[in-house]
Amino acid sequence: MRLSTEQAQTIRQLAQEVAGGDTRVRLFGSRLDDNARGGDVDLMLEVDNPVPNPALMAARFAARVSRLFQGRRVDVLIAAPNLGRFAIHDIAHDEGHLL
Amino acid sequence: MTNHSKMLLRLQFLLRVIRKEGEHLALTDARLFSEPFTIARAERLATQPDLAERVEAFVSRFSRLQDTLGDKLLPVLLSALGEKPGAAIDNLDRAERLGYIQSVDDWLAMRNLRNQMVHEYVEDLAILSNALQSAHAFVPSLLASRQAMAAEAERRGWEATDPLDIRNPHIYANKK
Protein backbone atom coordinates (compact mmCIF):
# COMPACT_ATOMS: atom_id res chain seq x y z
CA MET A 1 0.00 0.00 0.00
CA ARG A 2 1.49 3.34 -1.05
CA LEU A 3 0.35 5.53 1.83
CA SER A 4 2.32 6.47 4.89
CA THR A 5 0.93 5.65 8.34
CA GLU A 6 0.44 9.38 8.91
CA GLN A 7 -1.46 9.79 5.62
CA ALA A 8 -3.69 6.82 6.46
CA GLN A 9 -4.41 8.23 9.90
CA THR A 10 -5.20 11.70 8.54
CA ILE A 11 -7.53 10.23 5.92
CA ARG A 12 -9.35 8.30 8.64
CA GLN A 13 -9.72 11.46 10.72
CA LEU A 14 -11.00 13.46 7.74
CA ALA A 15 -13.51 10.71 6.94
CA GLN A 16 -14.86 10.83 10.47
CA GLU A 17 -15.05 14.62 10.43
CA VAL A 18 -16.92 14.68 7.14
CA ALA A 19 -19.08 11.57 7.46
CA GLY A 20 -19.41 10.87 11.19
CA GLY A 21 -17.50 9.09 13.96
CA ASP A 22 -18.26 5.50 12.99
CA THR A 23 -17.34 5.88 9.30
CA ARG A 24 -14.90 3.32 7.89
CA VAL A 25 -12.65 4.22 4.98
CA ARG A 26 -11.16 1.81 2.50
CA LEU A 27 -8.34 2.42 0.03
CA PHE A 28 -8.65 0.62 -3.30
CA GLY A 29 -7.35 0.96 -6.85
CA SER A 30 -3.84 1.76 -8.03
CA ARG A 31 -2.54 3.01 -4.66
CA LEU A 32 -2.63 -0.58 -3.43
CA ASP A 33 -0.11 -1.54 -6.08
CA ASP A 34 3.35 -1.16 -4.56
CA ASN A 35 4.96 -1.22 -8.00
CA ALA A 36 2.94 1.63 -9.51
CA ARG A 37 3.90 5.28 -9.01
CA GLY A 38 1.80 8.35 -8.27
CA GLY A 39 -1.73 7.96 -9.54
CA ASP A 40 -5.22 8.80 -8.34
CA VAL A 41 -6.32 8.00 -4.82
CA ASP A 42 -9.47 5.83 -4.72
CA LEU A 43 -11.33 5.72 -1.43
CA MET A 44 -14.62 4.25 -0.27
CA LEU A 45 -16.48 5.61 2.73
CA GLU A 46 -18.62 3.02 4.50
CA VAL A 47 -21.42 4.63 6.47
CA ASP A 48 -24.06 2.75 8.49
CA ASN A 49 -26.74 5.45 8.33
CA PRO A 50 -28.46 7.03 5.32
CA VAL A 51 -26.46 9.92 3.83
CA PRO A 52 -28.66 12.94 2.98
CA ASN A 53 -26.14 14.71 0.67
CA PRO A 54 -23.95 11.95 -0.76
CA ALA A 55 -22.44 13.88 -3.69
CA LEU A 56 -21.55 16.86 -1.53
CA MET A 57 -20.12 14.63 1.19
CA ALA A 58 -17.96 12.75 -1.33
CA ALA A 59 -16.84 16.06 -2.89
CA ARG A 60 -15.92 17.63 0.46
CA PHE A 61 -14.02 14.56 1.57
CA ALA A 62 -12.22 14.28 -1.80
CA ALA A 63 -11.27 17.97 -1.61
CA ARG A 64 -9.69 17.62 1.81
CA VAL A 65 -7.80 14.44 0.93
CA SER A 66 -6.68 16.04 -2.32
CA ARG A 67 -5.00 18.84 -0.36
CA LEU A 68 -3.14 16.23 1.64
CA PHE A 69 -1.73 14.95 -1.67
CA GLN A 70 -0.86 18.39 -3.14
CA GLY A 71 -3.95 18.58 -5.34
CA ARG A 72 -3.79 15.05 -6.74
CA ARG A 73 -7.05 13.62 -8.04
CA VAL A 74 -9.08 11.75 -5.42
CA ASP A 75 -12.14 9.63 -6.28
CA VAL A 76 -14.59 8.83 -3.53
CA LEU A 77 -17.25 6.15 -3.46
CA ILE A 78 -19.84 5.92 -0.70
CA ALA A 79 -21.45 2.77 0.62
CA ALA A 80 -24.58 3.67 2.62
CA PRO A 81 -28.02 2.10 3.13
CA ASN A 82 -29.83 4.74 1.03
CA LEU A 83 -27.47 4.48 -1.95
CA GLY A 84 -27.29 1.99 -4.77
CA ARG A 85 -24.71 -0.76 -4.50
CA PHE A 86 -22.91 -1.37 -7.80
CA ALA A 87 -20.14 -3.75 -8.88
CA ILE A 88 -17.51 -1.13 -8.05
CA HIS A 89 -18.63 -1.15 -4.38
CA ASP A 90 -18.06 -4.91 -4.21
CA ILE A 91 -14.64 -4.62 -5.86
CA ALA A 92 -13.65 -1.83 -3.47
CA HIS A 93 -14.89 -3.87 -0.53
CA ASP A 94 -13.24 -7.13 -1.56
CA GLU A 95 -9.91 -5.76 -2.80
CA GLY A 96 -9.70 -2.62 -0.69
CA HIS A 97 -7.62 -2.11 2.39
CA LEU A 98 -9.36 -0.77 5.50
CA LEU A 99 -7.47 2.28 6.82
CA MET B 1 4.58 45.06 -27.90
CA THR B 2 6.06 44.48 -24.45
CA ASN B 3 5.40 41.34 -22.43
CA HIS B 4 3.53 43.44 -19.93
CA SER B 5 1.11 44.82 -22.52
CA LYS B 6 0.61 41.34 -24.00
CA MET B 7 -0.26 40.12 -20.53
CA LEU B 8 -2.77 42.93 -20.09
CA LEU B 9 -4.41 42.08 -23.43
CA ARG B 10 -4.70 38.46 -22.35
CA LEU B 11 -6.13 39.59 -19.02
CA GLN B 12 -8.71 41.82 -20.72
CA PHE B 13 -9.66 39.00 -23.08
CA LEU B 14 -10.20 36.65 -20.11
CA LEU B 15 -12.23 39.30 -18.28
CA ARG B 16 -14.56 39.50 -21.29
CA VAL B 17 -14.77 35.69 -21.35
CA ILE B 18 -15.74 35.37 -17.68
CA ARG B 19 -18.35 38.10 -18.07
CA LYS B 20 -20.06 36.09 -20.80
CA GLU B 21 -19.52 32.74 -19.11
CA GLY B 22 -20.98 34.09 -15.88
CA GLU B 23 -24.06 35.49 -17.63
CA HIS B 24 -24.64 32.19 -19.43
CA LEU B 25 -24.23 30.17 -16.25
CA ALA B 26 -26.65 32.42 -14.34
CA LEU B 27 -29.22 32.03 -17.12
CA THR B 28 -29.08 28.22 -17.27
CA ASP B 29 -28.94 28.01 -13.48
CA ALA B 30 -32.17 30.02 -13.15
CA ARG B 31 -33.92 27.95 -15.80
CA LEU B 32 -32.80 24.50 -14.62
CA PHE B 33 -33.42 25.13 -10.92
CA SER B 34 -36.78 26.87 -11.18
CA GLU B 35 -37.81 23.73 -9.26
CA PRO B 36 -35.51 21.50 -7.14
CA PHE B 37 -33.56 18.82 -8.96
CA THR B 38 -35.06 15.75 -7.30
CA ILE B 39 -34.48 12.05 -7.98
CA ALA B 40 -37.83 12.06 -9.82
CA ARG B 41 -36.48 14.70 -12.21
CA ALA B 42 -33.27 12.74 -12.67
CA GLU B 43 -35.38 9.76 -13.73
CA ARG B 44 -36.93 11.87 -16.49
CA LEU B 45 -33.51 12.57 -18.07
CA ALA B 46 -33.75 9.35 -20.07
CA THR B 47 -37.02 10.37 -21.74
CA GLN B 48 -36.80 14.17 -21.89
CA PRO B 49 -34.05 15.31 -24.25
CA ASP B 50 -34.68 19.00 -23.51
CA LEU B 51 -34.11 18.44 -19.80
CA ALA B 52 -30.96 16.42 -20.54
CA GLU B 53 -29.65 19.23 -22.76
CA ARG B 54 -30.33 21.82 -20.08
CA VAL B 55 -28.44 19.72 -17.52
CA GLU B 56 -25.61 19.37 -19.99
CA ALA B 57 -25.54 23.14 -20.51
CA PHE B 58 -25.49 23.75 -16.76
CA VAL B 59 -22.64 21.29 -16.17
CA SER B 60 -20.49 22.62 -18.99
CA ARG B 61 -21.11 26.28 -18.14
CA PHE B 62 -20.37 25.66 -14.46
CA SER B 63 -17.20 23.78 -15.38
CA ARG B 64 -16.02 26.30 -17.94
CA LEU B 65 -16.44 29.29 -15.64
CA GLN B 66 -14.60 27.52 -12.83
CA ASP B 67 -11.75 26.49 -15.16
CA THR B 68 -11.45 29.93 -16.76
CA LEU B 69 -11.37 31.62 -13.35
CA GLY B 70 -9.00 29.21 -11.62
CA ASP B 71 -6.75 27.87 -14.37
CA LYS B 72 -6.60 30.80 -16.80
CA LEU B 73 -7.53 34.14 -15.25
CA LEU B 74 -6.05 33.59 -11.78
CA PRO B 75 -2.44 32.94 -12.95
CA VAL B 76 -2.55 35.95 -15.29
CA LEU B 77 -4.06 38.17 -12.62
CA LEU B 78 -1.39 37.11 -10.11
CA SER B 79 1.31 37.87 -12.69
CA ALA B 80 -0.21 41.26 -13.43
CA LEU B 81 -0.11 41.96 -9.69
CA GLY B 82 3.60 41.20 -9.78
CA GLU B 83 3.34 37.80 -8.10
CA LYS B 84 5.02 34.74 -9.49
CA PRO B 85 2.32 32.16 -10.32
CA GLY B 86 3.06 28.78 -8.75
CA ALA B 87 1.42 25.36 -8.69
CA ALA B 88 -2.37 25.41 -9.10
CA ILE B 89 -2.97 24.61 -5.44
CA ASP B 90 -0.66 27.44 -4.30
CA ASN B 91 -2.44 29.90 -6.59
CA LEU B 92 -5.75 28.89 -5.01
CA ASP B 93 -4.33 29.49 -1.54
CA ARG B 94 -3.28 32.96 -2.64
CA ALA B 95 -6.70 33.56 -4.19
CA GLU B 96 -8.29 32.70 -0.86
CA ARG B 97 -5.98 35.10 0.99
CA LEU B 98 -6.70 37.87 -1.52
CA GLY B 99 -10.45 37.24 -1.10
CA TYR B 100 -11.08 36.08 -4.69
CA ILE B 101 -12.40 32.71 -3.58
CA GLN B 102 -14.24 31.99 -0.37
CA SER B 103 -12.42 28.76 0.44
CA VAL B 104 -9.95 26.46 -1.30
CA ASP B 105 -11.77 23.44 0.15
CA ASP B 106 -15.05 24.62 -1.39
CA TRP B 107 -13.29 25.29 -4.69
CA LEU B 108 -11.87 21.76 -4.81
CA ALA B 109 -15.22 20.31 -3.71
CA MET B 110 -16.93 22.10 -6.65
CA ARG B 111 -14.40 20.51 -8.96
CA ASN B 112 -15.09 17.08 -7.56
CA LEU B 113 -18.86 17.60 -7.83
CA ARG B 114 -18.46 18.08 -11.59
CA ASN B 115 -17.45 14.43 -12.00
CA GLN B 116 -20.66 13.43 -10.24
CA MET B 117 -22.93 15.46 -12.53
CA VAL B 118 -22.37 13.53 -15.74
CA HIS B 119 -25.64 11.69 -16.17
CA GLU B 120 -24.38 9.07 -18.63
CA TYR B 121 -21.71 8.12 -16.13
CA VAL B 122 -23.31 8.36 -12.69
CA GLU B 123 -25.71 5.46 -12.31
CA ASP B 124 -27.01 6.30 -8.87
CA LEU B 125 -29.69 8.97 -9.36
CA ALA B 126 -29.53 9.93 -5.66
CA ILE B 127 -25.93 10.97 -6.27
CA LEU B 128 -26.60 12.64 -9.61
CA SER B 129 -29.49 14.73 -8.29
CA ASN B 130 -27.58 15.69 -5.13
CA ALA B 131 -24.51 16.65 -7.19
CA LEU B 132 -26.61 18.96 -9.38
CA GLN B 133 -28.44 20.47 -6.44
CA SER B 134 -25.14 21.01 -4.58
CA ALA B 135 -23.51 22.64 -7.61
CA HIS B 136 -26.53 24.93 -7.87
CA ALA B 137 -25.92 25.97 -4.25
CA PHE B 138 -22.30 26.85 -5.18
CA VAL B 139 -23.26 29.07 -8.15
CA PRO B 140 -23.48 32.30 -6.07
CA SER B 141 -20.01 31.61 -4.68
CA LEU B 142 -18.59 30.99 -8.16
CA LEU B 143 -20.20 34.19 -9.47
CA ALA B 144 -18.83 36.07 -6.44
CA SER B 145 -15.32 34.89 -7.35
CA ARG B 146 -15.81 36.15 -10.88
CA GLN B 147 -16.98 39.48 -9.46
CA ALA B 148 -14.05 39.73 -7.03
CA MET B 149 -11.43 39.09 -9.74
CA ALA B 150 -13.09 41.49 -12.18
CA ALA B 151 -13.29 44.14 -9.43
CA GLU B 152 -9.57 43.73 -8.69
CA ALA B 153 -8.74 44.30 -12.34
CA GLU B 154 -11.04 47.30 -12.49
CA ARG B 155 -9.49 48.87 -9.39
CA ARG B 156 -6.16 48.74 -11.16
CA GLY B 157 -7.48 50.13 -14.43
CA TRP B 158 -7.29 46.82 -16.33
CA GLU B 159 -11.03 46.44 -16.92
CA ALA B 160 -12.49 44.42 -19.76
CA THR B 161 -13.20 46.62 -22.73
CA ASP B 162 -15.37 45.08 -25.37
CA PRO B 163 -13.61 45.38 -28.74
CA LEU B 164 -16.97 45.58 -30.55
CA ASP B 165 -18.69 47.81 -28.04
CA ILE B 166 -19.89 51.00 -29.73
CA ARG B 167 -19.71 52.70 -26.32
CA ASN B 168 -15.98 52.39 -26.81
CA PRO B 169 -15.59 54.75 -29.81
CA HIS B 170 -11.79 54.66 -29.90
CA ILE B 171 -11.59 50.89 -30.32
CA TYR B 172 -14.64 50.80 -32.57
CA ALA B 173 -13.07 53.39 -34.86
CA ASN B 174 -9.89 51.35 -35.07
CA LYS B 175 -11.89 48.24 -35.99
CA LYS B 176 -13.38 50.01 -39.03
Side-chain angles (χ1 to χ4, degrees), chain A residues 41-45 57-59 61-62 74-78, chain B residues 112 116:
Chain A
V41 181
D42 297 300
L43 295 166
M44 177 162 74
L45 294 174
M57 193 172 94
F61 178 59
V74 177
D75 280 323
V76 175
L77 201 60
I78 301 179
Chain B
N112 185 277
Q116 304 185 69

Side-chain angles (χ1 to χ4, degrees), chain B residues 21-39:
Chain B
E21 285 181 343
E23 282 164 8
H24 294 161
L25 172 63
L27 184 72
T28 304
D29 182 59
R31 288 165 65 151
L32 181 60
F33 295 96
S34 57
E35 51 179 311
F37 204 94
T38 55
I39 295 178

Side-chain angles (χ1 to χ4, degrees), chain A residues 53-56 59-60 62 67 84, chain B residues 93 105-106 109 112 116 124 130-131:
Chain A
N53 290 302
L56 185 60
R60 290 210 178 281
R67 295 201 80 177
Chain B
D93 276 327
D105 280 344
D106 278 2
N112 185 277
Q116 304 185 69
D124 192 331
N130 182 242

